[in-house]
Amino acid sequence: MKIIWLGHSAFLFESGGKKVVIDPFLTGNPVFPKELRELADGVDYLLLTHLHSDHVGDALELSKKASKVIAIFEICKWLELKGVKNYDPMNIGGTIEVAGLVVHMVPALHSSGFIENGSIVYGGNPCGYVIEFGGHRIYHAGDTGLFLDMQLIQRLFSPDICCLPIGDRFTMGPREASIACNEFLDVQTIIPMHFDTFPVLTGKAGQFKKLVKRGSVLVLEPGGSVEL
Ligand code: NI
Ligand code: MN
């Protein structure tokens, strides 16, 4: 399986001719390499973790060419209001299987809503995902603080790859994310995300790497990829 980091929390996973994209923040993402824009077209599964603009990103545009958009129920209803028809709703604790992909929706400790036409749109609970794809189990934590139930995610799904936010302020910082790796999860490959996108995100990959004692930290450059 090939993993391409599109910067921030946006990832593209590619295996067996199928593509999964999570949190497609491309337009307006200062670190997104624009030459990769075409890669995000025609994806098989587009997954959204919560209703913040740095995660929903280009979802409305990309949904036109995607086969399925997977999100929590309330985000799917918002997508419907915007004319999106190919959505597939789920909720925390649930699992769905769509040709070649198993998706588990897991909790995240965060918020989910944005302002549209002067009012707040409620996005339901924020979430993370564990996807079973290309022979791997990948935990994408979305935006989250540290929470003890990450132990339950480990127990239920034993992910071998995880993408964890480390930028601090809006999510875990390096210290909290390292506790997730050292004490709650037991994952071989750890990819940090949600850092260095904007100056307010002060958590650094170098600090995180020093603190992690279990699993190996793989720091990608935006646009960088790895075959696992
Ligand atoms: Ni957020
Ligand atoms: Mn965010």
Side-chain angles (χ1 to χ4, degrees):
M1 185 190 48
K2 188 176 185 184
I3 302 177
I4 307 174
W5 187 37
L6 304 174
H8 207 51
S9 300
F11 281 86
L12 190 151
F13 305 94
E14 199 171 4
S15 174
K18 298 243 182 218
K19 286 190 210 171
V20 178
V21 166
I22 302 183
D23 284 356
F25 176 43
L26 313 180
T27 306
N29 176 350
V31 298
F32 173 65
K34 292 184 178 47
E35 63 276 13
L36 298 184
R37 177 59 184 77
E38 276 179 22
L39 280 181
D41 271 335
V43 302
D44 297 277
Y45 313 105
L46 186 59
L47 277 61
L48 305 175
T49 62
H50 64 291
L51 202 68
H52 283 160
S53 52
D54 59 322
H55 296 261
V56 173
D58 300 58
L60 289 177
E61 187 60 31
L62 296 180
S63 67
K64 293 176 193 162
K65 292 182 187 166
S67 307
K68 282 250 177 281
V69 188
I70 296 169
I72 204 158
F73 178 79
E74 287 81 359
I75 294 182
C76 288
K77 286 293 158 189
W78 174 78
L79 290 168
E80 187 178 45
L81 290 173
K82 298 291 170 189
V84 175
K85 294 192 171 66
N86 53 334
Y87 59 84
D88 204 357
M90 59 189 302
N91 213 318
I92 291 167
T95 293
I96 60 171
E97 190 163 358
V98 271
L101 177 73
V102 176
V103 182
H104 309 282
M105 185 176 273
V106 299
L109 200 58
H110 194 63
S111 59
S112 181
F114 56 31
I115 302 285
E116 206 172 55
N117 306 320
S119 347
I120 188 107
V121 179
Y122 171 61
N125 280 325
C127 74
Y129 292 99
V130 178
I131 62 169
E132 296 180 31
F133 183 64
H136 292 274
R137 292 174 309 282
I138 306 145
Y139 171 36
H140 184 296
D143 275 2
T144 189
L146 182 63
F147 59 97
L148 201 59
D149 281 357
M150 284 180 182
Q151 292 178 341
L152 205 48
I153 293 171
Q154 175 65 34
R155 179 180 163 192
L156 287 167
F157 310 117
S158 305
D160 61 299
I161 300 168
C162 68
C163 307
L164 296 181
I166 64 150
D168 220 330
R169 182 180 287 264
F170 299 112
T171 67
M172 299 189 286
R175 177 166 175 257
E176 293 78 12
S178 72
I179 292 171
C181 300
N182 297 339
E183 299 179 33
F184 302 161
L185 302 168
D186 189 1
V187 173
Q188 287 93 307
T189 307
I190 302 151
I191 305 175
M193 63 179 182
H194 213 273
F195 68 98
D196 281 355
T197 323
F198 304 105
V200 291
L201 304 180
T202 54
K204 298 290 172 198
Q207 295 168 273
F208 177 58
K209 210 170 171 162
K210 271 191 214 145
L211 294 168
V212 173
K213 308 285 178 232
R214 186 159 75 174
S216 67
V217 177
L218 176 63
V219 181
L220 295 172
E221 289 296 316
S225 65
V226 63
E227 194 80 43
L228 290 170

